[in-house]
Amino acid sequence: WELLPGVPGRETSPLPTRLHEDPAPSACKLDLNELLQIFGGNSELVRMALKRFDVKSFSRLREPWESKDFKRVGQIAHQWKGTCSYISAKQAQRAALRLEQSAKALGDSGSSAVLCKEVAAALYDLRVELQQIAPSVVSTLDELSVSPEAHRAATKAASRP
């Protein structure tokens, strides 16, 4: 979503913008061989992990943000952290961790303009990371669908000394 209402001192606050436009698609690429190694060569587990990644579910953060339920924002960020971890999307995982920690701190503090700005910035960063990794998730799923056996064989060959 484009607006993040609820930042102290403003009726509505746009998502913090360090970039004036949405970022161009990133060169971020998932490594299918790495994913197959992580999941013991089981292409079906890799497929399941990749299918859990749905950038559209980022919008689940809107309601808790708008209602200032920062503990819930932290819980959803925690879920994103796990999802990103499963697919080895390290930058997105770090962004989710930052949002999780800052949202929980804001929830515990009750009110803090500084923490609110940090949560908004972390939310923006997570959105950017998720948008950048999404095309790679799709292409990796496509790659996996073409020839999972070939990828399994390549993984086994790569892991031999």
Side-chain angles (χ1 to χ4, degrees), residues 104-153:
K104 286 182 178 180
L106 181 56
D108 290 343
S109 77
S111 178
S112 165
V114 171
L115 281 175
C116 194
K117 286 179 183 177
E118 170 61 19
V119 171
L123 193 55
Y124 173 81
D125 289 347
L126 178 59
R127 183 186 73 148
V128 167
E129 290 299 328
L130 295 177
Q131 287 175 331
Q132 289 180 346
I133 197 71
S136 186
V137 169
V138 172
S139 65
T140 303
L141 272 168
D142 289 346
E143 187 181 350
L144 186 61
S145 296
V146 170
S147 177
E149 291 77 24
H151 289 293
R152 251 187 254 125

Side-chain angles (χ1 to χ4, degrees), residues 37-161:
Q37 285 179 339
I38 290 168
F39 288 96
N42 187 326
S43 61
E44 196 52 39
L45 289 176
V46 173
R47 185 177 285 107
M48 287 170 54
L50 290 169
K51 286 185 176 183
R52 283 193 60 191
F53 185 92
D54 179 12
V55 76
K56 292 176 190 167
S57 69
F58 177 81
S59 65
R60 290 182 332 157
L61 287 162
R62 182 181 201 144
E63 190 280 323
W65 171 264
E66 288 176 350
S67 64
K68 298 181 177 153
D69 183 354
F70 299 112
K71 288 186 186 249
R72 182 69 184 135
V73 170
Q75 291 168 344
I76 295 170
H78 178 80
Q79 292 168 355
W80 271 113
K81 182 179 72 175
T83 298
C84 294
S85 171
Y86 289 139
I87 63 171
S88 199
K90 293 171 180 58
Q91 289 294 102
Q93 182 183 356
R94 281 191 281 277
L97 174 62
R98 177 179 168 213
L99 177 58
E100 176 187 12
Q101 291 174 340
S102 60
K104 286 182 178 180
L106 181 56
D108 290 343
S109 77
S111 178
S112 165
V114 171
L115 281 175
C116 194
K117 286 179 183 177
E118 170 61 19
V119 171
L123 193 55
Y124 173 81
D125 289 347
L126 178 59
R127 183 186 73 148
V128 167
E129 290 299 328
L130 295 177
Q131 287 175 331
Q132 289 180 346
I133 197 71
S136 186
V137 169
V138 172
S139 65
T140 303
L141 272 168
D142 289 346
E143 187 181 350
L144 186 61
S145 296
V146 170
S147 177
E149 291 77 24
H151 289 293
R152 251 187 254 125
T155 302
K156 286 181 184 176
S159 65
R160 290 188 190 129

